[in-house]
Amino acid sequence: MNFQEGEFIYINKPYGISSFGALAHIRFVVSKRLGIKRVKIGHAGTLDPLATGVLVLCTGKKTKLIEELQKHTKEYVATLQFGATTDSYDREYTVNRTFPKNHVTKELIEQVLQKFTGEIMQVPPVFSACNVNGKRAYELGRKGHEVVLEAKPVVIHEIELLDFDEREKVLKIRVVCGKGTYIRSLARDLGEAVGSGAFLTALCRTKSGDVSLADCMTFDEFHEWFERQEVEPYVQNDNGGGKRQKPRRKPASSSNKKKSETNQNNNENKKHSEIKQK
């Protein structure tokens, strides 16, 4: 493996850790094996801390492909709870409002889902990485500031109803969408569309471009797999991260070394002669 020329690493991000946290863990493991301070690495699409699934990491020169990879279609499996909402649109925050839900049926949901396919306008969650005057929206939201985000066009290619619990009013769907789509916002909008409220209780990215969940490794699996790989040396430079390796001085040849010793002896004899004359 050549991490300088670039490698793709496919991780099944665990629950409760940010995408950057997952990236930092892999970077630490790889950098330690390479014996350098920090390998160049990035990811091709953020996952919320409470989400799991496909996280594509790129190293070295392949980080130049990140912008293109982020445009790839994503697939998610999401679980929604009707009858309530939270500030974050998922389980990160506790329920802030409750709504009627007994009228929500599978037939009603199937009718509503069709309205959310194609290009739609979607307002991102306040607790998101959207830029607001140079700051992340979630930073402002967590400090109690009022954050107003504008609706943005997103594309949802498919929505499939996988399961619906009539008694608990819990919905499970598969969503295939384009860049910039927030499944948390989709949950909020679906709740409003059926005359209730809703929030995400689980989310898994099952596909990113051609990379599926079956192609990904857990942290433990990555450690075991990485130990078995042959790794090329990582030659650091100004763009490669970490400290630059200082060039080693060429060792003196035996003839030069002998010449240096002769000159040193002559200088010492001359100095001794001058002292004796005084």
Side-chain angles (χ1 to χ4, degrees), residues 81-106:
Q81 173 66 63
F82 287 105
T85 58
T86 72
D87 288 335
S88 58
Y89 309 160
D90 64 6
R91 296 174 63 186
E92 182 178 352
Y93 281 71
T94 57
V95 170
N96 57 11
R97 291 185 65 188
T98 58
F99 300 83
K101 63 179 181 179
N102 290 336
H103 67 283
V104 180
T105 63
K106 183 176 181 180

Side-chain angles (χ1 to χ4, degrees), residues 42 135 224 237:
K135 294 187 177 181
E224 296 173 3
N237 51 46

Side-chain angles (χ1 to χ4, degrees), residues 247-265:
R248 295 180 179 179
R249 292 183 178 180
K250 186 177 180 180
S253 64
S254 57
S255 58
N256 289 338
K257 186 176 180 181
K258 186 174 181 180
K259 184 177 180 181
S260 176
E261 290 175 351
T262 302
N263 290 336
Q264 185 176 359
N265 291 334

Side-chain angles (χ1 to χ4, degrees), residues 1 9-14 25-26 29 33 53 212-229:
M1 302 185 73
I9 301 173
Y10 307 136
I11 294 297
N12 182 355
K13 189 190 82 65
H25 175 77
I26 299 300
V29 174
R33 170 81 181 273
S212 68
L213 198 57
D215 301 317
C216 298
M217 296 176 282
T218 64
F219 280 171
D220 289 340
E221 290 169 342
F222 174 77
H223 282 265
E224 296 173 3
W225 171 83
F226 190 46
E227 286 296 321
R228 300 193 300 267
Q229 306 307 306

Side-chain angles (χ1 to χ4, degrees), residues 3 27 30-31 34 36-41 59-60 234 240:
F3 286 94
R27 181 174 60 194
V30 174
S31 299
L34 293 173
I36 62 174
K37 184 177 180 181
R38 180 178 293 186
V39 67
K40 187 176 183 180
I41 187 170
T59 73
Y234 194 96

Side-chain angles (χ1 to χ4, degrees), residues 6-244:
E7 298 287 347
F8 293 120
I9 301 173
Y10 307 136
I11 294 297
N12 182 355
K13 189 190 82 65
Y15 178 87
I17 184 174
S18 68
S19 295
F20 180 78
L23 179 151
H25 175 77
I26 299 300
R27 181 174 60 194
F28 172 79
V29 174
V30 174
S31 299
K32 185 177 180 181
R33 170 81 181 273
L34 293 173
I36 62 174
K37 184 177 180 181
R38 180 178 293 186
V39 67
K40 187 176 183 180
I41 187 170
H43 66 72
T46 303
L47 273 174
D48 292 331
L50 303 189
T52 62
V54 179
L55 184 66
V56 177
L57 304 180
C58 309
T59 73
K61 294 180 180 179
K62 281 190 167 58
T63 55
K64 296 178 181 179
L65 302 175
I66 286 177
E67 187 174 349
E68 185 63 31
L69 293 173
Q70 288 176 338
K71 298 176 184 178
H72 288 182
T73 299
K74 310 292 194 304
E75 179 187 78
Y76 298 89
V77 171
T79 305
L80 292 67
Q81 173 66 63
F82 287 105
T85 58
T86 72
D87 288 335
S88 58
Y89 309 160
D90 64 6
R91 296 174 63 186
E92 182 178 352
Y93 281 71
T94 57
V95 170
N96 57 11
R97 291 185 65 188
T98 58
F99 300 83
K101 63 179 181 179
N102 290 336
H103 67 283
V104 180
T105 63
K106 183 176 181 180
E107 290 72 27
L108 176 59
I109 293 169
E110 287 177 331
Q111 292 174 13
V112 168
L113 286 180
Q114 303 308 312
K115 300 177 182 179
F116 288 90
T117 55
E119 183 174 305
I120 64 171
M121 297 300 292
Q122 185 184 77
V123 178
V126 170
F127 295 92
S128 65
C130 292
N131 191 300
V132 180
N133 298 323
K135 294 187 177 181
R136 299 295 187 184
Y138 67 81
E139 294 176 349
L140 298 172
R142 285 170 181 158
K143 291 179 179 178
H145 297 292
E146 183 179 355
V147 181
V148 178
L149 298 174
E150 296 182 359
K152 298 179 180 180
V154 298
V155 177
I156 297 181
H157 301 286
E158 298 177 50
I159 299 183
E160 179 186 2
L161 194 158
L162 299 178
D163 186 53
F164 180 63
D165 187 325
E166 290 277 1
R167 189 171 70 88
E168 298 296 333
K169 305 302 180 183
V170 173
L171 172 68
K172 190 174 185 179
I173 55 175
R174 182 182 69 89
V175 181
V176 180
C177 58
K179 180 184 178 181
T181 306
Y182 283 92
I183 307 301
R184 284 183 290 144
S185 290
L186 178 62
R188 172 204 60 198
D189 295 342
L190 284 174
E192 292 179 356
V194 298
S196 182
F199 66 95
L200 273 185
T201 59
L203 179 65
C204 179
R205 182 190 285 161
T206 51
K207 202 169 185 181
S208 179
D210 295 328
V211 182
S212 68
L213 198 57
D215 301 317
C216 298
M217 296 176 282
T218 64
F219 280 171
D220 289 340
E221 290 169 342
F222 174 77
H223 282 265
E224 296 173 3
W225 171 83
F226 190 46
E227 286 296 321
R228 300 193 300 267
Q229 306 307 306
E230 292 186 4
V231 179
E232 295 289 330
Y234 194 96
V235 182
Q236 296 179 314
N237 51 46
D238 289 336
N239 297 322
K243 298 180 180 179
R244 298 184 65 184

